[in-house]
Amino acid sequence: MSRISKKFLDLEKSKKTCLISYITAGDPTIAVTPEIMDSLVDSGTDIIELGVPFSDPMADGPTIQRACERALKQNVSCFDIFQAVENFRKKDKTTPIVLMGYLNPIERIGYEKFSRLASESGVDAILVVDLPHEEASDIVNVFKKDNLESIFLIAPNTDLSRIQKISKYASGFLYYVSLKGVTGASTLNINETREQLKNIKKAVNLPLAVGFGIKDAETAKSLSEDADAIVIGSAIVKIIEKDQNDKTKINDGIMDLMKPIRLGLDESGHTEG
Amino acid sequence: MKTTSKQNLNDFNQIKYGYPDENGHYGIFGGTFVAETLIKPLQDLKDTYYKLKNDPDFLKELYTEFENYVGRPTPLYFAKRLTDKLNGANIFLKREDLCHTGAHKINNTIGQAILAKKMGKTRIIAETGAGQHGVASATVAARLGMECVVYMGEQDIYRQSQNVYRMKLLGAEVIPVTSGSRTLKDALNEALRDWVTNVDNTFYIIGTVAGPSPYPELVRDFQAIIGREVITQMQDIDKRVDALVACVGGGSNAIGLFYPFINTSSKMYGIEAAGSGLETGKHSAPLNKGKVGVLHGNRTYLLEDENGQIIETHSISAGLDYPGVGPEHALLKDLGLVEYKSATDEEAIQAFHELSRVEGIIPALETSHAVAYTFKLAKEMKKNQNIVINLSGRGDKDLNTVAKLEGIKI
């Protein structure tokens, strides 16, 4: 069983909602990335989403674009990121890691090589933001061969028949983009999102994560009633941005942000299965 | 074969050429590489376009706008003094600089704006480099009574301040883009972000034959009026078209000229911006120097580093300063149907001056790249052969740039 499947199974047994945390690899430096990943786990994170920096992150808001720019200023490459994952894996063998990025850096390395190196370093799944399922069959097959799962996005304007098509390519979990907009946007409508999550859950068998625009414990708690996982991204990246040169402060900031969210999720007593 | 310029948008080449395929692919190029939220609006756009593109009412509206608002057909002008001076092939200029707003860009914006109106959208967004597409978008938005927001790199705003003011006069909001290299590619990123956020009421008018499917196809179809008119105009004076020359940034004016000539005996030359020189690395010539990759929704040739990060490009002309190129050009290159050459900043500036003095036509700096290559080409061809240059835009917007190079303050 994959790390991701095992994680969702364990959480289901203990009736907990999965907490997924996003950071951009190499922000503020690639050397610090494994330590920040440790902090995320200590603060209650179940799955880590590691952003692969790209020069033109079209689906991301200004916070994550700046994180990409900080990482790219130091020429952080996919190879550096694999090394960081390997370092993290020396201590932590159970927390699933999802690489999230854009297609071009992967194409430059080549699907086969990227997939093999990612898998060998201890990555569990890949989410390619600008790759809809129509263009994805080749890469998904390569990933499958290396036991990497393929995470796909679904959006508020994705209809149910398309969601079912996407779920045929997807493995691990499905990632529902909670709003029309970029990462870190601020116009999340909770009731509408919950309604849509309910409909999607009926149509698919995979665990359902929800992200984009979730910044606090209250929102996370409320959405957890209808989702299997909550993704926090830009809110964490903002903490890293604020205290770029101080590892202790970054760690403290992550604890202050994430512990209440973890607590909120645990209070809600996830029962949806 | 006598053709008319008022026929369906792609009567040419559908059988013998047939790109893109039904999923928007041009061989390995093109496609739809966007985040999931944009899939639905792209599908809606494609459905609308396919429903309308051969619809008589839509075509009538489009051609009426072309004639009465854009000022089509544009003249095909025989540049006699330039021809005599170069002592080579005859040079004809397709005068897209005489279109309303001063460049070919409006052929496409008027077409897309009519689509936007048919789809019930009330707000138009656009990205712009040199400002010509921004001006053309702001113009048609005013024409059709729609709100218009234009994204423009901070660097380009500085280079093209006159066009910024024009857009404002036309009632558009110009939003400076300060991320990345602060040029056209970053403006495109911001426009995509706006679109993803305001997708319900907003139509994104892409200015070139790039972007996700169906944009490369519909922009080409709207611009192909250029080549169709050239066919008719050259037939009217009983001249053969031996060579076609156009500058290539994203490549909309070039594809507009070339598309109706694909699979004919006319030779085609697309001219990229070599900037300081192809060997210096400071250029905007992905077809000459790029690698295949994915950016802004399509697979094409790109200028990128060894890690697949998009690199900053350089050209004296803001409109060519883009690291990618339309996917159809990538295919035409690989099929060997078009030759892609380049001209440096210096050659373009020289051509800018030469055409101004010899013919009394001040070309845009983008267009000057095509003119510069033609100087070489004309001399290599026979005197009874004919070259058509797409004179895609006029140079008024570039006066500041050129004056500054010569140390003149205006």
Side-chain angles (χ1 to χ4, degrees):
Chain A
M1 185 183 286
S2 74
R3 276 195 199 101
I4 292 177
S5 301
K6 183 167 187 324
K7 181 62 82 175
F8 276 104
L9 202 69
D10 289 350
L11 288 164
E12 200 187 325
K13 277 184 202 151
S14 53
K15 297 206 183 312
K16 282 184 170 183
T17 302
C18 178
L19 180 55
I20 303 178
S21 300
Y22 170 97
I23 55 167
T24 301
D27 172 34
T29 66
I30 196 69
V32 179
T33 293
E35 295 176 44
I36 297 179
M37 292 166 78
D38 290 336
S39 299
L40 292 174
V41 175
D42 292 345
S43 73
T45 294
D46 297 304
I47 296 177
I48 295 173
E49 227 175 64
L50 205 50
V52 179
F54 183 49
S55 53
D56 294 79
M58 298 170 307
D60 286 297
T63 303
I64 291 178
Q65 165 133 25
R66 286 196 300 273
C68 287
E69 285 173 9
R70 286 193 292 276
L72 291 178
K73 215 172 261 174
Q74 309 165 65
N75 280 321
V76 170
S77 70
C78 288
F79 307 108
D80 298 325
I81 296 167
F82 298 145
Q83 186 60 54
V85 171
E86 232 178 284
N87 292 344
F88 171 80
R89 276 277 174 259
K90 283 176 193 158
K91 277 196 282 179
D92 186 322
K93 307 217 185 303
T94 58
T95 305
I97 297 172
V98 179
L99 287 192
M100 179 173 184
Y102 294 79
L103 186 58
N104 201 51
I106 301 176
E107 291 222 338
R108 180 94 321 272
I109 294 173
Y111 292 172
E112 305 268 346
K113 187 176 175 191
F114 175 90
S115 175
R116 180 171 51 80
L117 293 177
S119 177
E120 283 170 6
S121 74
V123 168
D124 299 283
I126 316 283
L127 194 175
V128 188
V129 180
D130 54 350
L131 190 68
H133 76 80
E134 288 90 342
E135 307 278 2
S137 55
D138 288 353
I139 207 169
V140 166
N141 286 332
V142 173
F143 289 159
K144 206 175 278 173
K145 208 173 53 87
D146 289 318
N147 295 317
L148 289 171
E149 295 186 290
S150 294
I151 313 297
F152 280 85
L153 299 174
I154 48 183
N157 54 7
T158 312
D159 64 32
L160 283 181
S161 74
R162 188 176 165 84
I163 290 172
Q164 276 159 347
K165 269 184 213 150
I166 293 170
S167 65
K168 286 193 188 122
Y169 290 85
S171 46
F173 60 90
L174 276 171
Y175 187 142
Y176 179 67
V177 174
S178 56
L179 48 84
K180 291 173 189 164
V182 292
T183 51
S186 58
T187 47
L188 181 59
N189 181 327
I190 292 175
N191 291 335
E192 211 175 281
T193 305
R194 287 190 56 180
E195 214 40 55
Q196 274 161 320
L197 288 168
K198 281 195 182 88
N199 289 332
I200 298 164
K201 286 242 36 139
K202 278 182 228 155
V204 297
N205 284 324
L206 287 166
L208 186 59
V210 57
F212 278 43
I214 305 170
K215 301 181 174 74
D216 54 52
E218 202 187 335
T219 316
K221 185 177 168 182
S222 170
L223 290 176
S224 73
E225 300 288 333
D226 299 294
D228 304 299
I230 300 290
V231 188
I232 309 287
S234 299
I236 301 170
V237 175
K238 273 189 181 145
I239 289 167
I240 297 172
E241 180 169 47
K242 196 170 120 254
D243 290 308
Q244 288 169 43
N245 301 318
D246 192 330
K247 283 193 293 192
T248 318
K249 275 191 182 164
I250 290 175
N251 180 65
D252 293 350
I254 286 172
M255 296 303 155
D256 290 348
L257 173 75
M258 297 303 284
K259 283 199 162 161
I261 293 175
R262 177 78 265 172
L263 213 63
L265 292 183
D266 293 349
E267 275 171 11
S268 80
H270 184 62
T271 51
E272 295 286 313
Chain B
M1 166 195 72
K2 183 87 177 168
T3 57
T4 93
S5 50
K6 281 201 188 182
Q7 57 207 133
N8 288 349
L9 293 178
N10 36 26
D11 277 358
F12 295 89
N13 295 319
Q14 278 307 290
I15 298 158
K16 42 190 177 176
Y17 174 67
Y19 293 102
D21 69 13
E22 59 185 15
N23 296 317
H25 292 118
Y26 300 82
I28 64 162
F29 302 106
T32 309
F33 295 89
V34 294
E36 185 62 28
T37 316
L38 288 179
I39 292 293
K40 173 80 166 48
L42 287 168
Q43 189 60 49
D44 290 348
L45 175 60
K46 190 171 172 181
D47 292 345
T48 306
Y49 180 60
Y50 274 57
K51 204 175 76 196
L52 291 177
K53 73 175 185 178
N54 294 322
D55 174 75
D57 290 338
F58 172 74
L59 290 172
K60 191 176 166 213
E61 187 175 353
L62 180 66
Y63 284 116
T64 303
E65 293 296 323
F66 275 170
E67 277 175 33
N68 301 331
Y69 194 65
V70 178
R72 306 207 69 90
T74 56
L76 185 72
Y77 166 78
F78 174 49
K80 182 164 189 317
R81 284 195 4 103
L82 185 64
T83 299
D84 289 348
K85 195 166 180 197
L86 294 173
N87 199 26
N90 298 313
I91 297 170
F92 292 84
L93 307 178
K94 179 59 175 165
R95 296 293 306 276
E96 292 299 299
D97 59 319
L98 295 177
C99 288
H100 179 40
T101 72
H104 71 290
K105 291 288 184 188
I106 196 160
N107 301 329
N108 165 49
T109 59
I110 194 74
Q112 289 198 47
I114 296 172
L115 289 180
K117 208 178 64 177
K118 301 253 185 223
M119 293 174 81
K121 308 290 183 188
T122 56
R123 181 173 177 269
I124 277 172
I125 57 169
E127 85 294 337
T128 198
Q132 291 304 99
H133 173 61
V135 168
S137 298
T139 300
V140 298
R143 164 78 184 82
L144 296 173
M146 299 167 104
E147 185 190 344
C148 182
V149 172
V150 179
Y151 290 91
M152 191 168 183
E154 202 178 44
Q155 168 123 357
D156 292 334
I157 285 184
Y158 169 72
R159 285 195 282 195
Q160 301 287 346
S161 55
Q162 205 182 328
N163 269 342
V164 175
Y165 185 55
R166 280 172 85 194
M167 287 184 266
K168 287 179 182 166
L169 285 176
L170 292 160
E173 185 188 352
V174 180
I175 300 184
V177 175
T178 56
S179 55
S181 62
R182 302 170 186 209
T183 60
L184 180 56
K185 82 173 174 75
D186 310 285
L188 230 150
N189 292 335
E190 282 307 318
L192 283 166
R193 287 171 183 146
D194 179 313
W195 198 29
V196 99
T197 308
N198 302 298
V199 72
D200 293 329
N201 72 340
T202 297
F203 188 102
Y204 178 18
I205 299 189
I206 290 187
T208 191
V209 284
S213 168
Y215 280 104
E217 181 181 5
L218 66 90
V219 176
R220 174 196 72 191
D221 291 350
F222 291 137
Q223 292 293 0
I225 184 76
I226 302 171
R228 290 206 304 276
E229 284 178 4
V230 169
I231 288 178
T232 310
Q233 289 166 322
M234 289 295 271
Q235 280 172 350
D236 284 349
I237 54 171
D238 210 17
K239 298 277 184 201
R240 207 179 52 241
V241 179
D242 296 296
L244 299 157
V245 186
C247 65
V248 179
S252 70
N253 90 79
I255 213 85
L257 179 65
F258 297 163
Y259 181 58
F261 286 90
I262 291 172
N263 288 328
T264 69
S265 59
S266 307
K267 294 201 77 172
M268 296 182 269
Y269 300 90
I271 313 305
E272 294 195 298
S276 309
L278 289 184
E279 70 292 346
T280 64
K282 292 183 77 180
H283 57 75
S284 306
L287 289 165
N288 280 280
K289 288 284 177 184
K291 297 193 185 88
V292 177
V294 172
L295 179 70
H296 293 150
N298 65 112
R299 183 176 280 117
T300 186
Y301 283 99
L302 294 176
L303 295 173
E304 57 177 45
D305 70 12
E306 71 282 4
N307 293 323
Q309 308 296 343
I310 307 307
I311 55 176
E312 289 189 23
T313 53
H314 169 80
S315 171
I316 185 82
S317 73
L320 302 182
D321 210 346
Y322 180 67
V325 63
E328 192 159 17
H329 286 292
L331 175 72
L332 291 171
K333 173 194 150 87
D334 282 10
L335 293 177
L337 294 176
V338 177
E339 280 189 49
Y340 292 92
K341 306 285 189 178
S342 66
T344 61
D345 287 351
E346 205 182 317
E347 290 168 326
I349 294 281
Q350 202 186 337
F352 174 91
H353 285 297
E354 188 78 2
L355 193 69
S356 301
R357 279 195 299 259
V358 177
E359 292 291 348
I361 295 170
I362 302 177
L365 282 176
E366 291 77 15
T367 313
S368 300
H369 288 74
V371 177
Y373 183 74
T374 306
F375 288 175
K376 296 181 195 166
L377 182 65
K379 290 174 192 163
E380 293 164 7
M381 288 170 62
K382 295 194 191 96
K383 278 191 172 184
N384 63 351
Q385 290 188 302
N386 305 309
I387 302 174
V388 177
I389 306 178
N390 193 355
L391 208 82
S392 53
R394 69 179 184 221
D396 307 42
K397 68 180 176 60
D398 297 311
L399 297 186
N400 278 325
T401 306
V402 177
K404 201 176 151 207
L405 279 176
E406 298 178 347
I408 299 164
K409 210 168 177 226
I410 50 174

